[in-house]
Amino acid sequence: MSGFPQHPNYLGLNRPLGEEYDLRDLPVEGALPAEVEGTFFRAVPDPAFPPFLEDAGAVLSGDGMISAIRFGGGRASVHMRYVNTARHLAEVKAGQTLFGKYRNPFTDRPEVECLDRTVANTTPVWHAGRLLMTKEDGRPYRVHPATLETLGSYDFGGALKSETMTAHVRIDPETGELFFFGYEASGLASRTIAYGIVDKQGKLVREQWFDAPYCAMMHDFTITQNYALFPIYPTTCDLERLKDGGEHWIHHQDLDSWLGVMPRYGEVSELRWFRGPKGVSCYHMMNAFEDEQGLIHFDQCLSDSNAFPFIREASGIPLQQWELNGRLARWTVDPKAEGDTITEAVIGPPGDFPVIPAARQGRRYDHGWMLTMNPERRGPPVSGGPVGAMFDMLMRLDMRGGPPQALVLPMGSCFNEPVHVPARDPAHEGWLLAVVSTQAGPDSFSHECWVIDAGNVAAGAVAKVAIPRNLRPQVHGWWVSAEQLAHVAE
C-alpha cells in the first residue's frame, strides 16, 4: 500500500494494509475456555486507495473490512475480507479514490454522484440470524457469517424508509427485539430522526420519524425497559457549508445538549426533551435503566468537547485530548415531573468503549467494563485509531460502590475494544475478548487476541491467540456464539 500521505491517519498502527486472508490453527498460549466457542466479529476501516483531497477524517472514511476471529475445539483462526459496498466496488473498478471529504458528497468525483457513500466500517451487528455491517451515514450491508461474502445493502426487505441506520443498536434481552435509530434520516443535514423496532424474527415492525432540536451527530443511544433515550450533542451539520466544500461536522461549545425521552413502544408525540449542559459530547453509552422511583439513569462516556481532533480543529476549538475533562457520567431525569432538568453525577473515570453483559441491557446493572489510560504512564500512548491515541488500561467497574479492577499494559502496547462472552454459570462473570497490539518499530506491530476472566481482569489473560499479520485498529466488535451461528437466516 503506497501513495498515502505522511499523516498520522496513515502511519504506525493506522498504516493501510489492504490485505484479505485466512489464517488457521493460530498459536495459542494458555488454554481457551470451553465457553469461548463462536466468532468475534470486528469492524476494521482500511482505505484501499490514497485520498485525492487533503486528509480529513480519514480513519472514519476507511473502507469497511470485516474480521472474524473464530474459536472452536480449543483452536482459533482469523479471516479478513473487504465489505463490498457500492463505494468500494466503484473505486476498485476505477483503481483510485472517487470519494472526497468525510461525509461530503459535494466533494466527490462526478462519476459517483448519487452513489451510496457508506463504507459500512463501524459495527458488526448480529440479530435474528443475520450479520450486518453498519455505519451511521447509510443503511447496513449484510455479510454471510461463514464465508464473509457481502450479500448487499440491507433494508429489512424494503421496510426501512430511513436513509440511515445507527451502528449502535440495542437488543432487549427478554424480548429479543432490536431497537435502532437513524439521524439525517430524510437526507443530508436534515433534522429528521427515524426510530425503529425489529422483532426477534428480524422483521421491521415499526418506524417513526421526529425532528431533533438541530442536526447533530448521534452516534449511540440507549433503551430502558419502558423508554428509548435519544441524546443530542452540539456537533452539527449545515447543508450550505457542505455545498461550499466544508466539513460535515462543526462542534459548538455554546450550544445546549439534549436528551430525548419517549416510551419505547409509544408515539413520537410523547417525546420529551430534557436540557443538558452546553458544549458536551459523547460517543458511547454504557447503559440506561429505571430505578424503583421511576427515575431514568443514563450512563455515558462524556467529555467537555468533541473527542475527535479533526472535528475540534475544524471548529476552531484549541483543546488538547488531555483537556477534555472526560468522565463516566450519569444523567438522571424524571420522566413524569414537570420541567426539563438533568442532574449529572460522575460515576467513573475518563475513557471509552463501555461494555456490559447483554443480559443487563436496559436494566439496573452491578458491573461493567471500559477502556481508559493508565494515569501513571511515563510516556505517550500508542498512536492510532480515529482520535490518534490508543487505550492501555482495561477496567472493571463495580456499580455498587466496590473497588474497581484494572489491567494495565506496558508501554508500547494497547487495547482494542473488548467484547463480552457470557458464562453458563450465573455466578461467573464470563470472559472478555480483546485484540492487544504491541509496537516493535515505527510501522511494525505484533497482535494477539486476549481472553480475560471478566470478573478478575487484574489477573491478565488466561489465553492469548497470536495473529501473525499486521492489523489496523478496529472500531467495534460483536461476539456471536457457536449456537447462534448454527441458525443463519435465509
Side-chain angles (χ1 to χ4, degrees), residues 200-249:
K200 65 180 180 180
Q201 286 82 29
K203 180 181 179 181
L204 178 60
V205 295
R206 196 166 196 199
E207 181 179 348
Q208 298 185 76
W209 290 29
F210 62 91
D211 283 342
Y214 46 80
C215 178
M217 177 188 285
M218 296 177 63
H219 186 65
D220 198 355
F221 87 135
T222 57
I223 59 169
T224 70
Q225 286 183 280
N226 295 296
Y227 294 94
L229 310 179
F230 304 94
I232 306 287
Y233 307 104
T235 301
T236 71
C237 182
D238 178 78
L239 186 59
E240 293 307 314
R241 181 172 71 238
L242 293 176
K243 290 179 178 179
D244 289 339
E247 309 304 325
H248 192 102
W249 296 122

Side-chain angles (χ1 to χ4, degrees), residues 463-482:
K464 299 178 181 180
V465 177
I467 301 174
R469 298 287 279 267
N470 268 344
L471 299 175
R472 295 188 97 228
Q474 79 183 58
V475 184
H476 297 292
W478 199 284
W479 170 254
V480 184
S481 69

Side-chain angles (χ1 to χ4, degrees), residues 335-373:
K336 295 183 171 60
E338 298 293 329
D340 61 2
T341 302
I342 291 177
T343 301
E344 180 177 322
V346 177
I347 60 172
D352 206 354
F353 299 122
V355 179
I356 64 166
R360 303 312 303 164
Q361 185 71 248
R363 277 76 174 162
R364 184 184 289 275
Y365 62 114
D366 293 336
H367 58 274
W369 304 270
M370 65 184 295
L371 298 183
T372 186
M373 294 289 192

